[in-house]
Amino acid sequence: MFESRYLFGYDFNSYDAFTEVDEGFFSGFGGFFSGGPPLFNFLFTIIPLIIVGTILFVIIKGLTTYFRNNAAERLTEQARILTKRTNVSGGSGDSSAFTTYYITFEFEDGHRSEFQVKADEYGLLVEGDEGRLTYQGTRYLGFERMKNPLRS
């Protein structure tokens, strides 16, 4: 009395149209990705791996620097402020800009090192200032300016 209706060769009353799973690269995901184009399957795998790999690289690099600085000896040496610079990032559209401050110090033996400093330290120090720089590895800890008779 009732006849079955077919949509693209499948019976409406049959669940086979929605449960068939072809063997494919992502067949373990319930058939959602099975039978997809190979390029799509490849890119859908590689791009998340690149993103996760980059995040892990940044975390591992940051932790390595942190532990290396903690293991380094805390040094205080005579130094002179050679240059100051800033790096501004962001600030396009609705995002706010972020400024990072750097100071390059020259030591008595002639070698130079650049350290990231806080904004208030950056504002207080002037190129040409001489004093005692305290640092630990690549971590800036402070600069004690020596009195200059011309600035008293």
Side-chain angles (χ1 to χ4, degrees):
M1 195 164 213
F2 294 103
E3 63 183 61
S4 297
R5 307 255 174 171
Y6 291 92
L7 176 67
F8 303 110
Y10 290 103
D11 184 355
F12 272 125
N13 299 325
S14 170
Y15 292 105
D16 291 341
F18 303 106
T19 59
E20 285 185 9
V21 177
D22 295 332
E23 290 300 318
F25 189 72
F26 288 104
S27 61
F29 291 102
F32 181 73
F33 296 109
S34 64
L39 181 62
F40 173 77
N41 290 338
F42 176 75
L43 291 176
F44 197 75
T45 302
I46 293 300
I47 292 173
L49 287 176
I50 290 172
I51 292 170
V52 168
T54 303
I55 291 170
L56 286 175
F57 175 77
V58 169
I59 290 171
I60 291 170
K61 184 178 176 187
L63 287 173
T64 302
T65 302
Y66 174 79
F67 288 119
R68 188 175 292 144
N69 282 339
N70 284 346
E73 183 181 356
R74 181 180 289 214
L75 300 172
T76 301
E77 297 184 35
Q78 288 295 120
R80 177 173 64 96
I81 297 177
L82 196 60
T83 61
K84 296 169 56 173
R85 74 176 180 94
T86 60
N87 182 32
V88 180
S89 58
S92 64
D94 292 335
S95 67
S96 59
F98 179 76
T99 305
T100 309
Y101 301 92
Y102 298 95
I103 297 180
T104 302
F105 293 91
E106 183 175 42
F107 298 93
E108 288 181 321
D109 64 359
H111 82 276
R112 300 172 180 176
S113 292
E114 182 178 66
F115 297 94
Q116 182 177 338
V117 298
K118 295 180 181 174
D120 56 343
E121 291 266 350
Y122 183 87
L124 292 174
L125 301 174
V126 178
E127 291 181 8
D129 280 350
E130 294 182 2
R132 297 170 50 90
L133 172 66
T134 305
Y135 63 98
Q136 186 176 18
T138 60
R139 185 181 299 143
Y140 171 85
L141 298 176
F143 183 75
E144 182 182 341
R145 185 174 28 203
M146 295 175 59
K147 288 206 176 238
N148 187 340
L150 296 176
R151 292 190 189 158
S152 14

